[in-house]
Amino acid sequence: MSAPEISADISAKGAAGVRMRGVDKAFGPNVVLRELDLDVEPGERVVIIGPSGSGKTTILRVIMTLERIDSGTIEVGGRHLYHEEAGGRLKPAREKHIRSVRSDIGMVFQHFNLFPHMSALENIMLAPVKVHGKSPDEARELGRELLAKVGMADYANHTPGQLSGGQKQRVAIARSLATEPAVMLFDEVTSALDPELVGEVLNVIRDIAEEGKTTMMLVTHEMGFAREVADRVVMFDHGQILESGSPEEILRNPQEQRTKDFLGAVFEH
């Protein structure tokens, strides 16, 4: 990874909650992100749509550092994620720096990723204790508050195997909230759920969005939900942003034929 120069406004007040510049990512010969530039303002809710294989999930995974970028820069809250400053330039960051920036990010996955041998409450307590140094009592109190927030107060002692898909996803959302992230990433969080369970999970995300305290990036195929919750919708295809605008602009009056074709196929289903 090359060491790019530091941007002039890197620490400017009001910098974007998430800022991606010239980000490339390939898996072997398959280029998934191509010189991607994307800004998400603090508190903004951005929904990313696009066909399968377009690179939508990879955007979230490189922000969460589950995949490492090949080139470019990513900032979260004005802090570089993969780089550190040295002598007026940027150099590849140490793992300690990456972990520090990543601690401001929470991610909710398509397949829950809960620890099966732990109760719902224990799953939520883990990161506050291990990562943020809270006492077990503090983490337990926080965990119970968050379970109540997502409508799961009565299921604190249930293991994932005793929960429905929708219940597991609500616990996963509570677990992500437990680290008090400045940025929350949601990766197709309803696609593994039975249709009758989708609404309960979307309601929880809607409640979080309405609080307006967290920057949110959501990959979803639920266009009705996208229209309701998004400040901005980004259409993604072949590793690049095809068009971006308000839900009204993109979902009701897209300009690009590729977007029109994609939305036509989605709404047919």
Side-chain angles (χ1 to χ4, degrees), residues 51-62:
S52 297
S54 61
K56 307 184 301 295
T57 289
T58 303
I59 295 174
L60 304 188
R61 290 181 66 83
V62 297

Side-chain angles (χ1 to χ4, degrees), residues 79-190:
R79 300 172 68 197
H80 273 280
L81 179 58
Y82 289 104
H83 297 88
E84 294 180 86
E85 183 179 351
R89 294 183 63 83
L90 295 176
K91 66 174 185 178
R94 297 163 296 170
E95 195 62 34
K96 180 180 179 182
H97 172 86
I98 292 173
R99 285 198 305 269
S100 173
V101 179
R102 190 176 59 210
S103 68
D104 285 336
I105 308 166
M107 185 164 178
V108 184
F109 299 87
Q110 180 177 345
H111 294 289
F112 326 127
N113 288 18
L114 298 173
F115 291 106
H117 61 288
M118 292 183 175
S119 69
L121 181 58
E122 289 168 338
N123 266 281
I124 296 169
M125 290 173 58
L126 190 63
V129 172
K130 297 291 186 182
V131 179
H132 293 273
K134 290 185 180 291
S135 71
D137 286 343
E138 287 177 313
R140 187 173 294 106
E141 181 179 357
L142 175 63
R144 292 192 182 281
E145 289 176 2
L146 290 172
L147 282 171
K149 182 184 183 75
V150 300
M152 292 292 292
D154 294 336
Y155 297 87
N157 296 320
H158 287 58
T159 61
Q162 297 172 304
L163 302 175
S164 72
Q167 290 170 332
K168 282 186 274 195
Q169 196 59 286
R170 284 189 278 162
V171 172
I173 292 170
R175 179 186 57 184
S176 183
L177 289 170
T179 61
E180 300 177 344
V183 176
M184 283 192 72
L185 313 174
F186 296 86
D187 181 23
E188 292 279 20
V189 295
T190 61

Side-chain angles (χ1 to χ4, degrees), residues 234-246:
V234 174
M235 172 66 185
F236 206 72
D237 193 31
H238 293 298
Q240 295 181 316
I241 295 172
L242 198 58
E243 57 182 314
S244 174
S246 70

